[in-house]
Amino acid sequence: MPTLQERFADLAVDAPVSPVAPGIWAEGRRRARSRRIGTGVVGVVTLVALFVVAGFAVHRASSPGYAGSDSTPALPSAIYHPSPWLSGWGDRPPGQLSMLIPGKRGGWPHYHWAMVGVSATTGAYHYLEIPGCLDVDGLSPDGRHVSCFAGFESGGHQVINGVAIYDTVTGHVDRWASPSGTLGLNTVTWNGDDAVAFRAGGTSYLWHFGQGDPRPIPTHLTLRVGATATAGLYLSGRDGFFYLDPAHHGQVQRVRLDRDARTITPAAISPSGLRLAAVHRTAASSTLMVGDVAREGRRTRLAPVRADVHWPQIVGWADDQHVLVVNQVSQLDSPVPEDPRARYDLDSVDVASGEVVRVARMSDAQTSWGAMFATSLLGAPTRDFPAPPHPINQRLEAGLVVGFLLLGGIALVVWRRRVRA
């Protein structure tokens, strides 16, 4: 008989072969370790990419080192095109402003026109966010109030039926709605630092905001065509202008032009009321014209200023000798806003000698022609404020975040499948 040892040997020979490959435990541990390492690498790379995007976005959006809020108010020596992704002032009043700049503000899902307020003391750029304001219209001469059109949204359209005044120092908003429900949009002008004039329906008004409702005035306000010191300048027929003098309780002052001068282009009267500047524009040229305001009953004669300015846009007078204009320094054949070659300066023109001195560098036509200035600062020295930030497009930022997360997820799935294979 076979011994027990021989029986065990026979059973071992006849035993089925194990389906488990040799070293499977070690292989399993190796694969698990590879999956963990791959998952960690993909996670770290994804996090690093997200941190890079976040850091880049924060860097682009960070505000420069603005000057202290107790600085002397001034215009900036360089005026920049505002980024669509600048932040707003929010509920915080911006304080005295030096200028307003129109900009296409980024949003979800599309852009919309808005107005950037530039601080007169720090040079900071932020979008104005005024409650109940449908569209910003102007800046007071001292830069402490903003006028805008008030109304409501109806069926996807804006219905403008009144005026709102925003105090940039306190944040208070005065509102007035027209009884007729209509407002002459191109009749709203400043009348000093604390009043506006406008026409609503068939009635003209002068509103000292903060002192009750607007009061009707007998003067029929026409189209605004410029400014005189701290008051708006209106068109009077085909050959003249008039304004409500705030220094004489709204008394009407009229200026009649020489019969050869027919213009409705922007014009401005000096702070003393003694000089008038206007622009004679044709399809081929644009000429800065200046004249001494004639006494009542006589006509004012305008003469061209022999100055090296091209397609000038009048901003206002610094004093009786110097008028400020937006000058197209690229000297193109026409004022084409879309032309990328177009460059602009804010220049001071000596109307006697024709000397042109740059006051501030400007950017594109949208910024240069659409800017509104606190006219009380036109004769003051400018300051070198820092450039505003240029935040990254929030849509691009969100797209990068989502894209890196997707790439990380795909890389993780591919790696785990490859290890399992």
Side-chain angles (χ1 to χ4, degrees):
M1 292 183 63
T3 63
L4 183 59
Q5 185 177 4
E6 293 174 336
R7 294 286 304 271
F8 282 148
D10 293 338
L11 288 174
V13 171
D14 296 335
V17 178
S18 174
V20 179
I24 191 171
W25 174 255
E27 179 66 16
R29 294 193 62 183
R30 185 189 66 78
R31 292 189 179 186
R33 186 166 54 251
S34 298
R35 283 198 297 268
R36 287 196 300 270
I37 293 174
T39 301
V41 170
V42 171
V44 169
V45 170
T46 303
L47 287 176
V48 169
L50 293 178
F51 276 120
V52 169
V53 172
F56 181 67
V58 170
H59 173 72
R60 290 285 297 269
S62 60
S63 297
Y66 291 120
S69 59
D70 58 345
S71 301
T72 303
L75 289 173
S77 59
I79 300 169
Y80 301 92
H81 182 91
S83 166
W85 303 101
L86 280 173
S87 61
W89 288 103
D91 296 332
R92 175 171 55 95
Q96 184 178 359
L97 299 176
S98 64
M99 58 188 303
L100 301 175
I101 301 175
K104 293 181 69 175
R105 190 174 188 182
W108 302 89
H110 53 72
Y111 293 90
H112 63 278
W113 282 105
M115 195 69 72
V116 172
V118 181
S119 172
T121 54
T122 67
Y125 281 54
H126 294 289
Y127 282 98
L128 291 173
E129 298 170 338
I130 304 173
C133 177
L134 297 183
D135 191 16
V136 173
D137 182 61
L139 180 65
S140 65
D142 62 0
R144 296 179 180 271
H145 291 89
V146 172
S147 62
C148 63
F149 300 129
F152 55 92
E153 299 277 350
S154 177
H157 299 282
Q158 293 182 342
V159 178
I160 296 175
N161 64 354
V163 179
I165 305 296
Y166 174 66
D167 190 319
T168 64
V169 177
T170 67
H172 177 73
V173 181
D174 288 291
R175 298 182 181 85
W176 179 81
S178 169
S180 66
T182 59
L183 181 72
L185 304 184
N186 53 5
T187 67
V188 182
T189 64
W190 287 93
N191 194 257
D193 294 324
D194 59 352
V196 290
F198 55 86
R199 191 179 72 244
T203 306
S204 297
Y205 295 90
L206 183 61
W207 185 20
H208 288 271
F209 42 86
Q211 302 180 24
D213 291 338
R215 62 178 179 85
I217 57 176
T219 306
H220 178 73
L221 301 180
T222 59
L223 301 176
R224 62 185 182 192
V225 292
T228 170
T230 61
L233 193 63
Y234 291 91
L235 183 67
S236 177
R238 296 183 57 194
D239 59 355
F241 308 102
F242 73 90
Y243 62 96
L244 307 177
D245 191 344
H248 296 86
H249 307 288
Q251 178 181 343
V252 178
Q253 304 289 343
R254 297 189 181 276
V255 178
R256 299 179 67 196
L257 301 181
D258 187 79
R259 296 185 184 278
D260 295 333
R262 298 288 189 269
T263 178
I264 59 173
T265 56
I269 294 179
S270 64
S272 66
L274 299 179
R275 278 187 160 171
L276 181 140
V279 175
H280 178 68
R281 181 167 293 176
T282 67
S285 65
S286 184
T287 305
L288 179 64
M289 311 284 289
V290 171
D292 295 330
V293 175
R295 290 180 296 176
E296 186 71 25
R298 297 192 176 185
R299 292 182 177 271
T300 297
R301 180 180 294 275
L302 298 178
V305 178
R306 299 187 181 280
D308 187 21
V309 291
H310 304 269
W311 304 103
Q313 179 83 6
I314 294 177
V315 173
W317 290 81
D319 51 47
D320 280 1
Q321 189 76 9
H322 301 88
V323 63
L324 270 66
V325 301
V326 174
N327 178 22
Q328 188 183 79
V329 295
S330 47
Q331 301 185 19
L332 302 179
D333 295 333
S334 62
V336 183
E338 297 82 7
D339 196 322
R341 298 173 298 166
R343 294 181 293 106
Y344 302 85
D345 279 346
L346 176 64
D347 287 337
S348 174
V349 180
D350 187 317
V351 296
S353 66
E355 180 186 11
V356 178
V357 176
R358 185 173 70 183
V359 174
R361 300 189 308 274
M362 306 192 79
S363 53
D364 57 299
Q366 170 191 311
T367 301
S368 303
W369 289 358
M372 306 175 193
F373 296 85
T375 54
S376 64
L377 301 177
L378 294 182
T382 59
R383 293 182 56 200
D384 295 330
F385 292 113
H390 287 275
I392 188 174
N393 186 324
Q394 293 179 5
R395 302 171 188 169
L396 175 61
E397 183 181 357
L400 289 174
V401 170
V402 173
F404 281 123
L405 288 174
L406 287 176
L407 287 176
I410 293 172
L412 184 59
V413 171
V414 170
W415 175 258
R416 293 177 72 88
R417 288 183 176 179
R418 181 179 179 182
V419 171
R420 187 181 303 119

